[in-house]
Amino acid sequence: MVHNRSQFLLLAVAIATFVGHSQGANILGLFPSLSPSHLIIQMSAAKALAEKGHNVTVVTSLKPVVTHKNINVIQVPMTKEEAQQMSDTVGAMAKDDNSNIAVSLLRMSGQMDFMFKKNAETLKDDRVRDLYLNKDNKFDVVLSGYFMNDFQLGFARKVNAPVIVLATMPPMQMLNPLIGNPLEISYVGVNSAEKGKGVPFMQRLTTYATSLGFGLFAYINTKLNKNLYKEVFGDDPNMPEYSEMLKNTSLIFFASHAASEGPIRPNVPAAIEIGGIQIKDTPDPLPQNMADFLGNATDGAILLSLGSNVKGSHLKPDTVVKMFNVLSKLKQRVIWKWEDLEKTPGKSDNILYSKWLPQDDILAHPKVKLFINHAGKGGITEAQYHGKPMLSLPVFADQPQNAEGMIKKGFGRTLSLLTLEEQPFREAILDVLSNPQYTQKVASFSSLYRDRPMTARESVVYWTEYVIRHHGAAHLQSPLVHMNWIAANNIDIYFLFAVILVISILLFKTVVKFILRKFFSKSKKPKKEKKH
Ligand SMILES: *[C@@H]1O[C@H](CO)[C@@H](O)[C@H](O)[C@H]1NC(C)=O
Ligand SMILES: *[C@@H]1O[C@H](CO)[C@@H](O)[C@H](O)[C@H]1NC(C)=O
Ligand SMILES: *[C@@H]1O[C@H](CO)[C@@H](O)[C@H](O)[C@H]1NC(C)=O
């Protein structure tokens, strides 16, 4: 196609300007969420961009664990009192019955007030306001971490940059409207369909009711966001109306992967799935002692990690003894995450204690045959990615629910850590190790989960640079963003049809009556005369 050198040069220059434009861009991440697991996902996206050579500035409230030298962190930490209030809130949430998500959201709305206030305060911090007040700062795109905080999107307008929403969940009712993603509640919602089947009436009814609950919650949430928008950006007369400002989102990154996790649903082009962004594509080499320990595990190995939240009060001394008695008698080798190396549960040749674990890298090791965990979302996701079956020992918060979900998919077993006994513990371990069904199910999930045209990191980089190259993605925007409920559902057209139908029926009736009367009055009169 390229005929001579000058044409080639021209092409090279054109490509360089086109592609080069997004090289070394200035990217702003607003991640003031008070949830550590949200921050891990958001920072993992920021890290993928930093590794690509972009200059990433992030605003957080918590101290991030995922970092990079190209990421400049502005942390607006919680005060001691706020941290206490936060842990009370989390405690209260853990006690709630979370079986119906919409109901628990409505119940939580009071407790969440605090999180929204803190979010607004973070954006009003002097160092954060400086990002738009100091005209030396220029941002090419803003990534806005989502936690029902739509008002935060106004910040992108302040720094005059397109905005991408970074969500830590799959497409859902409260996020979809930002990009005009369809709701499709007849088959997408709390009750997923069985494979190869539709959704029966009762399931659709409960999904619909839940959706109404969400609608109510969204209504309350919108009011709250409107107020926060006014509070944070109200002093600037150039800022658009809240409802107008919302119609400016270029893309949403969703932390999901429908092809493996479901639900199967239509998504608009502005919905980009980046599920698993927090997991490394290729594992780092293990520390030498662990590499040797696992490499020589001829009968396979088990990883045991109960997370950092489960310790002390939750793990009774006799529970630890019971666990040790079972594990030390197995022929498999065990890596056990244990904080206090001076006081281990006991010495055994097949157990390696470690204060710190590269969990993701260990799970990637082919010798690891079982992951005993506390059903934290992060750990389960990593095990699913690496195709390792699990035995979950949940304690509180979302853990029992996570374990439940894992069991439903057939990826392992669960036992309560609080009531753990030797016999069922041993029996469950041997069952997961010997029954190939668990491994097969999680392995086939894993192969679907990883089979993508682009990895999650590549997707984040590609689509962020895409938005930078095109100065936003207004061309991808669904018209649904600009339509109200009546237009979106063609209610006005149904109404028009109904009116036409009613008028036609009335007209028809009148005409028929008219004709009948004429006909009868002509043909009846003689008949009547005959009778008389
Ligand atoms: C990165 O961005 C920040 C925030 O705008 C800016 O202060 C800093 O100078 C930038 N660094 C480089 C190397 O461009
Ligand atoms: C097995 O252990 C020995 C040390 O006991 C070590 O030298 C060797 O590298 C290990 N084998 C593997 C495959 O890691
Ligand atoms: C958002 O607003 C800016 C400035 O008005 C505009 O350039 C951009 O195209 C808009 N983006 C979308 C997705 O509408």
Side-chain angles (χ1 to χ4, degrees), residues 262-338:
I264 300 303
R265 53 155 300 135
N267 282 322
V268 294
I272 309 293
E273 293 197 298
I274 58 158
I277 179 78
Q278 70 277 29
I279 304 171
K280 270 179 248 152
D281 304 330
T282 43
D284 290 334
L286 290 174
Q288 197 54 48
N289 65 331
M290 287 186 194
D292 287 347
F293 187 75
L294 289 178
N296 285 336
T298 40
D299 290 304
I302 295 170
L303 172 62
L304 165 58
S305 169
L306 298 179
S308 42
N309 288 328
V310 184
K311 52 186 158 192
S313 56
H314 301 113
L315 208 51
K316 289 175 289 186
D318 62 322
T319 306
V320 175
V321 171
K322 285 171 192 161
M323 289 171 83
F324 177 79
N325 287 345
V326 171
L327 294 170
S328 59
K329 291 191 193 98
L330 293 172
K331 55 185 175 158
Q332 284 78 16
R333 292 193 161 182
V334 180
I335 296 184
W336 188 338
K337 182 168 187 237
W338 189 261

Side-chain angles (χ1 to χ4, degrees), residues 66-108:
V66 179
T67 51
H68 187 272
K69 64 173 172 34
N70 284 355
I71 301 181
N72 156 38
V73 178
I74 302 175
Q75 191 196 355
V76 184
M78 284 188 276
T79 61
K80 267 212 181 101
E81 297 81 54
E82 285 172 334
Q84 184 56 45
Q85 196 177 345
M86 181 61 203
S87 87
D88 292 349
T89 304
V90 171
M93 282 182 184
K95 279 196 207 99
D96 276 347
D97 165 26
N98 290 324
S99 49
N100 186 320
I101 187 155
V103 171
S104 53
L105 275 178
L106 283 170
R107 207 183 302 135
M108 266 158 47

Side-chain angles (χ1 to χ4, degrees), residues 43-57:
M43 287 303 292
S44 300
K47 188 173 176 180
L49 293 163
E51 278 170 353
K52 206 54 205 306
H54 296 301
N55 176 24
V56 187
T57 304

Side-chain angles (χ1 to χ4, degrees), residues 22-37:
S22 54
Q23 285 304 310
N26 285 318
I27 297 171
L28 173 61
L30 300 172
F31 309 143
S33 167
L34 301 181
S35 152
S37 60

Side-chain angles (χ1 to χ4, degrees), residues 375-401:
K377 197 134 205 119
I380 289 186
T381 307
E382 285 173 10
Q384 288 180 172
Y385 181 87
H386 294 294
K388 299 299 157 87
M390 287 163 261
L391 171 58
S392 284
L393 310 174
V395 180
F396 61 98
D398 62 339
Q399 296 163 4
Q401 234 179 320

